């Protein structure tokens, strides 16, 4: 893409989101936009039906364990993503947020089929939640799932509360998310892990094209994350560079945010530093402004701003 065109697109994206072109930041004050935490205290925080203690791998990943990885790399704030083995019981995540004021934001999981969905979302937002994760789970008909009455309520309520819908999806769901973005243009959307493009090893052109197509929706964002699981799945992860460049060019850095996806990023064979270093140090096509947005500014805007409650 022509550099002048990219600058124009970045300026336009900043105007659409009501943000200044260059975020105010201090090096070493980064935000990790995607981390899961859990505790071995299963009596206090029971697992959802269908999950066992053996599903918790590692057995524990508490804030203190997280801090040992992220703080040496200059990460001071974190967006917590509700872990699936707790399902709709967001209490542990909320308790962690309360215990560390100013450090965490949260993305909750709710039952989109519950009759009190809008009220539940409102109460969670009052407690600091700034996003709601959706994933197809065991749905066999993706169209019916994403177009269900409950999902309509979730997307509409998220827009009213000025928080985000955060899809954990595979590439085949991207056209459906595109349609939802058309139907709910006021809803902020954050796509996790590049929609898992590259999980099978290669980056299919059609999948990348469908992801980039979402850039036409002004309130849609992408997480550059889960590097351990994509492409060659091997540090220094530079094979992801072309995909990151395409996403940066299409969305502008103001709508791209880095995230580690811990604790999975620190599984054997991987580490935290290699994840943040890909954006912070290793991709020379990223400008300092790009890095500022991707490592802090975008997540600050989306997950640490005030909601409408």
């Amino acid at each position: 893409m022509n550099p002048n065109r990219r600058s124009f697109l970045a300026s336009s994206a900043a105007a659409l989101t009501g943000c200044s072109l260059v975020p105010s930041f201090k090096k070493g004050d980064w935000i990790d936009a995607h981390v899961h935490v859990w505790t071995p205290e299963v009596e206090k925080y029971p697992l959802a039906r269908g999950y066992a203690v053996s599903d918790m791998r590692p057995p524990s990943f508490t804030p203190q364990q997280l801090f040992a990885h992220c703080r040496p790399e200059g990460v001071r704030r974190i967006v917590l993503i509700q872990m699936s083995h707790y399902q709709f019981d967001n209490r542990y995540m909320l308790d962690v947020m309360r215990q560390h004021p100013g450090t965490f934001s949260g993305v909750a999981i709710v039952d989109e089929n519950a009759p009190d969905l809008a009220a539940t979302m409102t109460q969670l937002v009052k407690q600091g939640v700034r996003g709601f994760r959706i994933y197809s789970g065991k749905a066999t008909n993706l169209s019916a799932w994403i177009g269900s009455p409950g999902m309509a309520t979730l997307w509409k309520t998220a827009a009213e509360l000025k928080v985000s819908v955060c899809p954990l999806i595979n590439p085949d769901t991207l056209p459906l998310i595109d349609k939802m973005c058309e139907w709910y243009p006021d809803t902020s959307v954050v796509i996790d892990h590049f929609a898992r493009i590259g999980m099978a090893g290669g980056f299919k052109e059609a999948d990348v094209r469908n992801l980039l197509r979402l850039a036409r929706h002004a309130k849609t964002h992408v997480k550059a994350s889960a590097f351990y699981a994509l492409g060659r799945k091997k540090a220094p992860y530079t094979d992801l560079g072309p995909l990151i460049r395409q996403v940066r060019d299409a969305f502008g850095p103001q709508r791209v945010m880095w995230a580690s996806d811990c604790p999975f990023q620190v599984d054997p064979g991987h580490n935290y530093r290699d994840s943040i270093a890909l954006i912070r140090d290793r991709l020379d096509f990223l400008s300092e402004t790009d890095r500022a947005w991707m490592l802090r500014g975008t997540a600050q805007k989306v997950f640490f701003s005030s909601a409408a409650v």
Side-chain angles (χ1 to χ4, degrees), residues 1 104 113 126 258 279:
M1 178 179 287
F104 295 108
N113 298 311
K126 288 180 179 178
W258 165 79
I279 304 300

Side-chain angles (χ1 to χ4, degrees), residues 219-236:
K219 293 194 173 185
T220 301
H221 311 75
V222 176
K223 283 182 188 171
S225 54
F227 302 151
Y228 67 92
L230 306 177
R232 295 174 188 160
K233 303 178 177 63
K234 184 177 180 180

